[in-house]
Amino acid sequence: MTASCPDRTMSKTPTVNPWQAWMLAARPRTLPAAVTPVLVGSALAWSDGEFALFPALAALLCALLIQVGTNLANDYFDYVKGADIAERRGPTRAAQSGLIALPHLRLGILAVFALAAFVGLYLVVIGGWPILVVGIASLISALAYTGGPFPLGYHGLGDLFVFLFFGLAGVCGTYYIQAQRLGPLVVMAAIPVGTLITAILVVNNLRDIATDRQTGKRTLAVLIGAQATRLEYALLVLVAYLIPLTLVLLKWSSPWGLLPWLTLPWAVGLVRRLYRTDEGPRLNRALAGTANLSLLFGVTFSIGLVL
């Protein structure tokens, strides 16, 4: 699955070389969504004196590979299922625009996920069967997000699975492979990471409501409508900022844990923008802004946890 800054099918296919085409399909702007959970999980491990460099780096590499593989799979399956049409208001898709042939894209998906599994073996050796379960579930969900007989993103389940894997699994898994244990603080710290990364997907789905409805892609935004989707976004952002405050009030974190609140004005601005526009270009900017917010929140949250 992906909590991405998704792509736009344009009226004219851009002229790019093969490297640029693969970079387009990989969607590097989405990669902060893979970095933030590992960053926060490693910060928690550091604060507990459990930080381990090589497991942390392996977790980061594995998360990045799964994110890229998911992006490639989404590009492929959305085109095959007819969800990518000329009216889409997001950036260019490699398969739909013909920049990458479908057989080549399938090989790319297989290669990236195989590499992720290879790196994951090292993590399984360290973390044991819990990491094996999370790893297998991550790979299956990455493919099932838009592929398979019951694509999660086509049945209103994308938001839930993004929260579970980018929030709970990402943060808790990263911490576990370093500390070999979990605690309530780790689970609580995973919540704002998951909600903000889910908010990225919410903006994407809000932008694509009309074309998703037209092609039969029943995202949660299609099911609940535009206004409820905007409310969902606002609530996800609200929860993200309440968690650091809760941790401080419970004395699970020092006052430094409120560092993410420095980004609150930016978050409020994004919520207001979402309520004020239906235009594709402005929603694309809100989407990119939410992705950047999730990363900056994660950085400040990590610093606060370490301090």
Side-chain angles (χ1 to χ4, degrees):
M1 81 211 65
T2 181
S4 58
C5 306
D7 304 331
R8 176 180 173 91
T9 298
M10 303 170 70
S11 58
K12 295 182 180 180
T13 301
T15 301
V16 298
N17 60 44
W19 169 254
Q20 291 172 321
W22 281 103
M23 288 296 292
L24 180 71
R27 304 182 220 173
R29 290 185 181 182
T30 72
L31 298 184
V35 172
T36 302
V38 178
L39 183 65
V40 172
S42 296
L44 288 162
W46 182 287
S47 68
D48 287 344
E50 301 284 0
F51 178 74
L53 178 60
F54 289 111
L57 291 176
L60 177 60
L61 179 57
C62 200
L64 290 170
L65 288 169
I66 291 176
Q67 176 70 45
V68 170
T70 303
N71 290 341
L72 297 178
N74 290 351
D75 197 304
Y76 176 86
F77 288 116
D78 277 342
Y79 175 64
V80 170
K81 293 177 182 294
D84 282 346
I85 58 178
E87 291 80 8
R88 279 192 76 254
R89 300 191 292 175
T92 304
R93 287 289 181 100
Q96 195 279 337
S97 61
L99 293 173
I100 301 177
L102 292 184
H104 295 165
L105 195 52
R106 286 196 297 268
L107 285 175
I109 295 167
L110 178 62
V112 172
F113 280 138
L115 187 55
F118 178 75
V119 177
L121 288 176
Y122 168 69
L123 298 176
V124 171
V125 170
I126 296 173
W129 69 264
I131 299 302
L132 177 62
V133 171
V134 170
I136 292 174
S138 298
L139 291 174
I140 292 174
S141 297
L143 287 170
Y145 185 76
T146 52
F150 190 83
L152 302 171
Y154 284 59
H155 292 85
L157 296 173
D159 304 50
L160 172 62
F161 275 79
V162 165
F163 173 77
L164 290 176
F165 282 93
F166 284 90
L168 298 182
V171 175
C172 294
T174 299
Y175 180 86
Y176 184 84
I177 61 169
Q178 298 176 68
Q180 304 295 308
R181 57 185 169 82
L182 289 176
L185 172 60
V186 180
V187 177
M188 284 283 286
I191 293 175
V193 175
T195 59
L196 286 180
I197 295 176
T198 303
I200 303 171
L201 178 65
V202 170
V203 183
N204 171 73
N205 290 346
L206 174 64
R207 184 200 63 203
D208 290 341
I209 280 182
T211 53
D212 284 344
R213 185 179 290 122
Q214 179 182 344
T215 59
K217 186 176 181 178
R218 299 170 71 244
T219 63
L220 183 59
V222 168
L223 295 175
I224 67 178
Q227 285 304 105
T229 300
R230 290 184 173 92
L231 178 60
E232 179 194 3
Y233 181 89
L235 290 176
L236 287 169
V237 172
L238 176 63
V239 169
Y241 285 88
L242 287 179
I243 293 298
L245 177 62
T246 302
L247 295 179
V248 171
L249 292 177
L250 291 174
K251 296 185 178 180
W252 290 4
S253 171
S254 74
W256 284 108
L258 291 176
L259 268 181
W261 276 52
L262 293 175
T263 66
L264 183 59
W266 188 2
V268 171
L270 287 169
V271 172
R272 293 176 63 185
R273 180 183 300 179
L274 218 65
Y275 271 90
R276 290 179 176 180
T277 185
D278 285 313
E279 298 177 10
R282 291 187 178 183
L283 288 175
N284 284 334
R285 288 194 290 271
L287 195 153
T290 305
N292 293 332
L293 172 66
S294 70
L295 179 59
L296 184 56
F297 183 101
V299 170
T300 54
F301 194 32
S302 297
I303 293 172
L305 291 170
V306 168
L307 293 177

